[in-house]
Amino acid sequence: MTGPQPAAPVAGGAEGEPGSEFRKDMGPWANFALGFTYLSPVVSTYTLFGTALATGGPPMIWAFLLAGCGQFLVALIFGEIVAQYPIAGGVYPWARRLWGKRWAWMTGWVYMWALLVTITSVAYGAGPYIAILFGFSPTVHTTVLCTAVLITVAVLINYAGTKALSAAAVIGFTGELVGALVVGVYLLSTHRAHGIGVIVDSYGTAGNGSYLPVFLAAAIIGFYQYYGFEACGDTAEEVAHPGRVIPRAMRRTIYIGGAAATFTCLSLLLSVTDYRAVISGQDSDPVVHLLYRTMGEVGARLVMAVVLISFLSCTISLQAAAGRLIYSYARDQMIVGHRLLRRFSHARAVPGYALLVAAVLPMVIAFGSLVSNDALTKIVSFAILGIYGSFQMVVLAALRARLKGWQPQGEFTLGRWGLVVNAVALAYGIFAIINISWARNPQEPWYDNWIVLLCGAVVVGSGLLYMFTTHHYGRGDAPAGDAVPTP
């Protein structure tokens, strides 16, 4: 796959990455498209629309506003950090510069597993649409096989290099717009069954109690929507002028992607004819049934093809982010097998073995899901928990660094508002993590009811055990903790 390798380059600072092996082949538009396809309004909405509607009724759409506002604050903090430290790998090197090696190691470990599980969740969610497109029955086993095929195709595209990744991101962005806007406009103009007032009618999902717990349970669709903007920073060494380009791309990803997702959800919501059938479980796949009813078999399959492009481009973007994180980890000698994982294909300018790991492990997770009931919801929930956890580790590191004297020095800063935005972003993240982890099914066995939190505890516990038994966190000589000024 690669030839003999030179010594691992040392990560740079605000000036960029002078020792980087990447080529700056990604333009501003492609960088935004990468974050947009990772955030993917079509993927998140089509994957969880039925679950969220059945749980919380039409008002679940307000989750997009709740999560969008909170994650926009996180994106502002990330923009300050990447502007000063444009290093491949995203949250791991950012945490390293803001706090230190140990904190960075654990941040990268949590983020790595969250990315790998997210790859599985996106590819798994595409399974039913692949089955419908090609005309076979979507069973659990065919869904897992489709997951493996989609992951394989994605990694082959990633192996082709940064230019191929950029092209895939732009194509995926186009597919997302077609899926979100064209289909949405068609549904609203020809098959709208409800008025806008339904977004405040819970249709009895709360029973005789408060609607708030029901809404927070349904809000998984919003929490699943608003991440992916960090992928713009994961490829920081492949973008010219990253201090200006990447913070702007992150912000655009949030408000353009969020607007597209909200519109997609609204168009589906106002076109579903029988909410009570969805809430009762009688209609378990309202998106597919809606498309067939409104567009016929040919039209529905055409939409499935566009949706499949969205799922594929999202998987490609996720793999790109995971591969660069693993490479960044290995470049700093932070993980077992670092000599192999830091190997770089100079012909294609990609970390080949790191990308291979980002394909193989999600496949293993997908086949492991065969032993679980309601696998998709659990996979998605853990993916959200891991992503939000690693994000907040960076947000906390930034807040700690500010209180110790760090003043962002990149081309994008929040100025005097930085401390306030940082604190509110942390508060939002903690609230989101608690909500995602909360057990809501007392009728199920305790280990199934707390499966998301248990998986998180396993990842953190195994990471701590690995970190303190191997001491890999201390091997690399890349800068660490230097954001805080020395007394």
Side-chain angles (χ1 to χ4, degrees):
M1 190 177 298
T2 54
Q5 300 301 309
V10 176
E15 308 79 27
E17 191 68 18
S20 175
E21 297 179 280
F22 290 100
R23 292 197 293 261
K24 293 188 178 296
D25 287 339
M26 181 172 286
W29 176 251
N31 185 251
F32 159 69
L34 179 71
F36 186 93
T37 54
Y38 179 165
L39 180 139
S40 191
V42 169
V43 168
S44 60
T45 304
Y46 276 50
T47 299
L48 291 176
F49 177 81
T51 300
L53 180 57
T55 303
M60 61 83 176
I61 194 172
W62 293 100
F64 287 100
L65 179 62
L66 169 68
C69 291
Q71 287 294 78
F72 186 73
L73 300 179
V74 176
L76 292 176
I77 302 303
F78 280 12
E80 282 191 309
I81 301 169
V82 73
Q84 183 166 348
Y85 302 112
I87 309 170
V91 300
Y92 154 65
W94 302 341
R96 184 183 181 101
R97 305 302 289 267
L98 291 169
W99 195 318
K101 295 180 179 179
R102 295 181 183 180
W103 189 258
W105 194 96
M106 183 54 67
T107 302
W109 177 262
V110 173
Y111 184 55
M112 178 182 69
W113 283 107
L115 276 177
L116 296 174
V117 174
T118 303
I119 292 170
T120 306
S121 72
V122 170
Y124 193 100
Y129 297 102
I130 296 174
I132 293 168
L133 179 62
F134 292 102
F136 58 88
S137 299
T139 66
V140 173
H141 290 86
T142 59
T143 297
V144 170
L145 289 175
C146 290
T147 300
V149 171
L150 195 71
I151 290 172
T152 301
V153 173
V155 78
L156 290 175
I157 294 173
N158 265 306
Y159 273 138
T162 302
K163 289 184 177 179
L165 172 63
S166 299
V170 172
I171 293 171
F173 173 70
T174 305
E176 292 277 358
L177 287 183
V178 171
L181 300 180
V182 176
V183 175
V185 169
Y186 172 77
L187 290 175
L188 290 177
S189 60
T190 62
H191 291 85
R192 192 177 72 177
H194 305 279
I196 193 68
V198 297
I199 64 174
V200 294
D201 188 342
S202 67
Y203 278 80
T205 51
N208 296 322
S210 169
Y211 180 68
L212 181 61
V214 176
F215 171 73
L216 293 178
I220 186 175
I221 192 171
F223 293 130
Y224 189 48
Q225 176 61 67
Y226 288 99
Y227 58 88
F229 56 88
E230 81 281 4
C232 302
D234 290 333
T235 56
E237 294 173 32
E238 298 161 79
V239 179
H241 310 295
R244 294 198 306 271
V245 169
I246 295 176
R248 186 180 300 124
M250 286 181 173
R251 298 194 301 275
R252 285 176 177 169
T253 297
I254 289 287
Y255 50 72
I256 296 177
T262 306
F263 177 75
T264 300
C265 184
L266 182 65
S267 65
L268 294 173
L269 200 58
L270 298 185
S271 302
V272 171
T273 55
D274 191 350
Y275 294 142
R276 299 195 188 280
V278 179
I279 294 169
S280 67
Q282 182 181 347
D283 184 359
S284 60
D285 201 346
V287 174
V288 171
H289 296 157
L290 172 64
L291 294 177
Y292 269 98
R293 178 175 59 82
T294 57
M295 297 183 174
E297 184 172 352
V298 174
R301 288 196 174 186
L302 287 174
V303 174
M304 297 302 168
V306 174
V307 170
L308 186 55
I309 292 174
S310 300
F311 275 92
L312 177 59
S313 61
C314 183
T315 305
I316 293 168
S317 300
L318 283 161
Q319 276 187 347
R324 282 149 181 81
L325 168 68
I326 294 169
Y327 168 76
S328 181
Y329 231 41
R331 183 171 62 180
D332 293 342
Q333 305 177 47
M334 298 283 275
I335 196 168
V336 65
H338 61 84
R339 289 183 179 86
L340 185 67
L341 295 174
R342 75 185 182 193
R343 290 189 178 183
F344 199 87
S345 172
H346 295 282
R348 297 184 297 273
V350 294
Y353 286 100
L355 284 172
L356 182 61
V357 172
V360 172
L361 287 181
M363 287 189 195
V364 173
I365 296 170
F367 282 100
S369 70
L370 290 172
V371 302
S372 173
N373 294 323
D374 194 20
L376 179 60
T377 301
K378 292 170 184 175
I379 290 172
V380 167
S381 297
F382 172 70
I384 300 171
L385 176 65
I387 293 289
Y388 272 67
S390 56
F391 277 19
Q392 292 310 307
M393 292 178 77
V394 175
V395 173
L396 176 60
L399 182 59
R400 172 185 177 273
R402 286 182 203 276
L403 296 175
K404 287 180 171 288
W406 174 57
Q407 296 182 353
Q409 300 297 317
E411 294 178 89
F412 171 76
T413 66
L414 295 172
R416 62 181 181 178
W417 290 100
L419 182 62
V420 175
V421 172
N422 205 152
V424 177
L426 181 63
Y428 160 76
I430 293 172
F431 156 74
I433 289 170
I434 293 172
N435 185 58
I436 294 163
S437 307
W438 202 259
R440 293 185 168 92
N441 300 297
Q443 72 279 7
E444 295 184 3
W446 69 270
Y447 52 82
D448 212 28
N449 202 20
W450 292 96
I451 187 66
V452 174
L453 196 59
L454 288 173
C455 289
V458 168
V459 169
V460 172
S462 61
L464 289 171
L465 181 64
Y466 180 100
M467 184 171 68
F468 287 111
T469 54
T470 65
H471 297 281
H472 280 166
Y473 65 85
R475 292 187 176 184
D477 57 359
D482 57 328
V484 177
T486 303

